[in-house]
Amino acid sequence: MKKYGIGLCIAAVLLAGIVYGSYRYSLYKLDNIDLSGIGDTDPSGNEFLTVDTIDQDRITNTTKYVLEHYNATDFSLKEEQKNIPAEFVGKTREELIEYLKTYEEAPPIEDLEEGLTSFELISFSKDRIVLRKTFQPPAKDYKYYLIEENGYITVYYMDKKTVYEYTDIQVEILPEEIQKKIKSGNYITDIQQLYNFLENYSS
């Protein structure tokens, strides 16, 4: 009976040791949990957990690239497979969207002539991206726009924002009929017609 009692005591001590050890281990794990980001709040006061963005999808040189051309006049849509441009490689979704916004603000001349209105992201993943250029072709077949600025003729591209050339041609020396056209905005259909005009009236 005495031995039985001793055995019970030993078992109780061992059980207490196990429970205490588990308790200490739990405290250790809690002390080493990274709580950064927990408890942060947005402007509305809602708590959120900060998400690590290191693992965001990024474009690589093996990402498939599809470029769509959408004509907003006849509603036609064409697409082409292209190689990934070097400037796309390494970009996240957000970085690519920012790039497209910058492109829209100052597109190349060939896009201006075709009537580019937007350049947008349709789909994004590290394996495949789809972009779309939307064009609104001009109703008239012209490429240049002449207007008076500070008494002189300035030549713009068809978007009426991008300057092709500042000239030294004074509007007041032109024939009256030409002056009226220039003051109201004169359209030129092609580069040869533009050269002819500038050559005729340049000093």
Side-chain angles (χ1 to χ4, degrees):
M1 191 71 179
K2 190 173 182 179
K3 290 182 179 179
Y4 181 72
I6 293 172
L8 284 176
C9 288
I10 293 173
V13 169
L14 289 174
L15 182 59
I18 292 171
V19 171
Y20 179 74
S22 298
Y23 170 72
R24 294 293 297 176
Y25 180 74
S26 297
L27 289 179
Y28 171 79
K29 293 293 287 182
L30 285 173
D31 288 341
N32 286 275
I33 291 178
D34 183 6
L35 299 179
S36 61
I38 298 178
D40 291 341
T41 58
D42 61 19
S44 301
N46 300 314
E47 289 192 358
F48 64 89
L49 179 63
T50 302
V51 178
D52 187 0
T53 59
I54 293 177
D55 295 331
Q56 288 187 70
D57 281 351
R58 292 181 180 273
I59 299 172
T60 69
N61 55 8
T62 61
T63 301
K64 292 182 179 179
Y65 174 28
V66 176
L67 178 61
E68 296 180 346
H69 299 262
Y70 178 66
N71 187 316
T73 300
D74 61 13
F75 310 109
S76 61
L77 180 66
K78 299 178 182 179
E79 64 176 45
E80 60 177 325
Q81 303 280 342
K82 298 179 67 70
N83 294 326
I84 284 289
E87 59 268 28
F88 284 11
V89 176
K91 281 183 167 50
T92 63
R93 179 189 182 90
E94 291 72 22
E95 290 169 342
L96 181 59
I97 290 174
E98 193 61 34
Y99 171 88
L100 298 180
K101 289 180 181 177
T102 302
Y103 185 100
E104 280 185 6
E105 293 172 0
I109 297 304
E110 56 267 26
D111 280 350
L112 284 176
E113 293 179 346
E114 291 181 30
L116 179 74
T117 60
S118 68
F119 193 15
E120 58 189 326
L121 175 64
I122 302 301
S123 67
F124 181 97
S125 75
K126 61 182 176 59
D127 299 315
R128 183 174 184 265
I129 62 170
V130 180
L131 305 183
R132 178 181 295 170
K133 285 184 176 182
T134 298
F135 296 92
Q136 184 78 55
K140 297 181 179 179
D141 185 22
Y142 66 87
K143 294 186 177 181
Y144 304 96
Y145 180 72
L146 279 61
I147 196 168
E148 178 185 5
E149 290 184 336
N150 301 318
Y152 292 86
I153 292 178
T154 300
V155 183
Y156 284 87
Y157 283 102
M158 57 180 294
D159 66 335
K160 300 181 183 179
K161 296 185 297 183
T162 307
V163 174
Y164 173 79
E165 183 178 349
Y166 294 103
T167 76
D168 59 358
I169 302 174
Q170 290 181 294
V171 175
E172 64 180 16
I173 69 171
L174 299 175
E176 186 174 344
E177 184 180 345
I178 299 296
Q179 288 188 41
K180 290 179 180 178
K181 288 183 179 181
I182 296 299
K183 289 179 179 179
S184 62
N186 188 40
Y187 298 102
I188 298 291
T189 56
D190 57 50
I191 192 66
Q192 189 58 52
Q193 185 182 0
L194 176 62
Y195 283 163
N196 290 341
F197 178 88
L198 297 178
E199 186 176 324
N200 287 337
Y201 296 107
S202 293
S203 55

